[in-house]
Amino acid sequence: MYLKKVLWATAILGLLICGFIAYQIYSAIFSPNTQFNNDEAFVYITSDATFSEVKDSLEPLLKDLSTFEAVAQRKGYITNIKAGKYAIKKGMNNNEIINTLRSANLPVDVSFNNQESLALLAGRVSEQIEADSISLLEAFNDPGFLNETNFDEDSKLGMYLPNTYEFFWNTNAEEFRERMLKEYQRYWNEERLQKAKSLDLTPSQVIALAAVVQKETAKVDERPRVAGVYLNRIRKGILLQADPTVIFAIKKQTGNYDTIIKRVLYRDLEMDSPYNTYKYAGVPPGPITMPDISSIEAVLNPEKHDYLYFVADVSNFGYHKFAKTLAQHNRNKVQYIQWLNSQKVLR
């Protein structure tokens, strides 16, 4: 009888111990383990991250790091870390957190606008994905890639079309570059290639001219008219004489793209640079900035007119006064110069 009681007591104790252990395991796996107040928090895991670094990233977000580590060990996550951006939602348990870190890499929007150099582009993009600016710039300038894709030192900037694109945060430099090449090739479909051909321009020349249009006017609705002016001048064999190309030539020569030049001086027009369209005929050898799609489309679909000149309209800032004759243009130009002088814009 006594032995029976001992056996029963041992069995009950064993069940209690097993139940406690099961509860602990269940609790570690399925109990909420977050300690932030927002609806979600984001974690960025680099491509070479160790589990220790993952824990460091999660520590401010979790109530109990030790239970997370135990479940991570049990599920094999410790030796199978995935890079990316992940959203940890408030109230998630360890099992949900690990499942998220294994399979729910979030895309990010990568945006860039009218950068004037690949170095500036690399800096802008590196703020939005894992790849750093040095690796991006090396990928952009890789001689093998440029040779294979028929871009050169002057035209390579034009491969990158300003827009917003969806990437995974852990995209590397080569992956970013290859995606941009695909976007460029997708843009230049047969219809656009035919339009460029009808203008007697290559895609690279279209982009180079669009960059000038981009710099001349911020008004999207005016860009087809400005493009029409430059195309008229090209057809007639007249120098483009675009001030933004001179400004770019100065920046390129000095290497300082942060230089602010509001007024081009007569001495600047003598600068010997293939980008100086006061000295060299035709389209510049490459883009002076990354033109928007709207500027490229303006060149491909220009307004048909007889204008050959334009100057800033001081009575309607942002827009320009257009002229068909040099005499009319000079009258418009006088008003602009008087305004510059009144504002003491000397450079």
Side-chain angles (χ1 to χ4, degrees):
M1 188 71 173
Y2 174 76
L3 185 57
K4 254 186 193 179
K5 288 182 179 179
V6 171
L7 289 172
W8 271 108
T10 302
I12 291 170
L13 181 61
L15 287 171
L16 289 173
I17 291 171
C18 288
F20 177 75
I21 292 171
Y23 172 77
Q24 291 293 100
I25 293 172
Y26 179 88
S27 180
I29 297 175
F30 297 109
S31 291
N33 192 28
T34 60
Q35 64 171 357
F36 51 86
N37 295 322
N38 295 334
D39 291 336
E40 60 184 5
F42 295 102
V43 175
Y44 295 84
I45 299 176
T46 60
S47 296
D48 59 353
T50 63
F51 183 66
S52 177
E53 290 169 329
V54 173
K55 286 196 300 180
D56 289 343
S57 298
L58 289 170
E59 186 172 11
L61 308 177
L62 304 185
K63 292 178 183 176
D64 189 339
L65 202 58
S66 62
T67 60
F68 169 79
E69 184 171 1
V71 176
Q73 179 73 52
R74 182 183 297 273
K75 293 175 71 73
Y77 174 73
I78 289 177
T79 57
N80 191 26
I81 295 168
K82 303 288 181 67
K85 175 187 177 181
Y86 301 94
I88 308 301
K89 299 188 183 300
K90 183 179 181 180
M92 270 187 169
N93 58 47
N94 288 323
N95 188 61
E96 292 169 328
I97 293 170
I98 291 166
N99 286 344
T100 294
L101 296 177
R102 291 171 75 171
S103 60
N105 191 4
L106 294 174
V108 297
D109 286 337
V110 176
S111 300
F112 58 90
N113 53 11
N114 318 108
Q115 307 298 323
E116 293 183 4
S117 72
L118 288 178
L120 293 173
L121 174 65
R124 177 78 180 99
V125 173
S126 68
E127 297 170 351
Q128 302 172 77
I129 60 175
E130 183 184 4
D132 61 57
S133 59
I134 294 175
S135 65
L136 284 163
L137 191 56
E138 287 176 349
F140 298 162
N141 289 319
D142 177 56
F145 171 78
L146 295 176
N147 183 60
E148 183 181 320
T149 53
N150 294 317
F151 287 99
D152 59 27
E153 186 64 28
D154 291 306
S155 65
K156 61 187 179 182
L157 186 68
M159 194 191 90
Y160 302 88
L161 302 178
N163 212 327
T164 298
Y165 303 94
E166 193 175 83
F167 284 90
F168 285 115
W169 176 79
N170 53 305
T171 297
N172 65 36
E174 289 74 20
E175 289 169 339
F176 177 82
R177 181 192 67 192
E178 295 303 321
R179 168 71 182 283
M180 289 297 95
L181 175 61
K182 288 181 180 177
E183 294 293 340
Y184 176 88
Q185 293 170 335
R186 183 180 294 117
Y187 178 79
W188 283 106
N189 57 28
E190 190 59 35
E191 181 184 358
R192 293 191 177 99
L193 288 172
Q194 285 301 317
K195 286 183 177 181
K197 187 176 181 180
S198 70
L199 297 170
D200 200 24
L201 298 174
T202 66
S204 289
Q205 288 175 317
V206 169
I207 288 178
L209 187 57
V212 179
V213 172
Q214 176 82 33
K215 281 292 188 178
E216 287 286 16
T217 179
K219 302 296 185 181
V220 174
D221 60 327
E222 192 184 51
R223 286 174 179 167
R225 178 168 290 188
V226 171
V229 170
Y230 285 130
L231 289 167
N232 286 345
R233 293 177 76 91
I234 290 171
R235 278 192 289 269
K236 290 178 178 291
I238 303 172
L239 292 171
L240 295 188
Q241 297 183 320
D243 287 1
T245 66
V246 179
I247 294 171
F248 178 80
I250 294 170
K251 292 180 178 182
K252 187 174 177 65
Q253 186 180 77
T254 62
N256 183 5
Y257 289 89
D258 294 326
T259 302
I260 297 175
I261 300 175
K262 295 182 178 180
R263 185 171 186 172
V264 172
L265 307 178
Y266 284 113
R267 68 170 183 264
D268 297 328
L269 306 184
E270 298 304 316
M271 184 177 187
D272 189 17
S273 166
Y275 285 91
N276 182 357
T277 55
Y278 280 83
K279 288 180 74 73
Y280 291 89
V283 179
I288 60 175
T289 190
M290 295 173 186
D292 290 344
I293 297 297
S294 64
S295 293
I296 302 173
E297 289 295 319
V299 173
L300 292 175
N301 303 280
E303 182 179 311
K304 301 291 193 291
H305 54 62
D306 295 323
Y307 295 127
L308 292 172
Y309 309 92
F310 63 92
V311 68
D313 185 352
V314 296
S315 63
N316 188 15
F317 284 106
Y319 287 94
H320 295 78
K321 286 187 174 181
F322 294 81
K324 297 178 182 179
T325 67
L326 182 58
Q328 183 185 2
H329 172 65
N330 285 336
R331 287 193 294 273
N332 294 336
K333 188 177 175 182
V334 166
Q335 297 175 5
Y336 177 59
I337 292 174
Q338 287 176 341
W339 180 85
L340 286 176
N341 292 336
S342 70
Q343 298 299 309
K344 294 182 169 45
V345 178
L346 304 177
R347 188 53 168 156

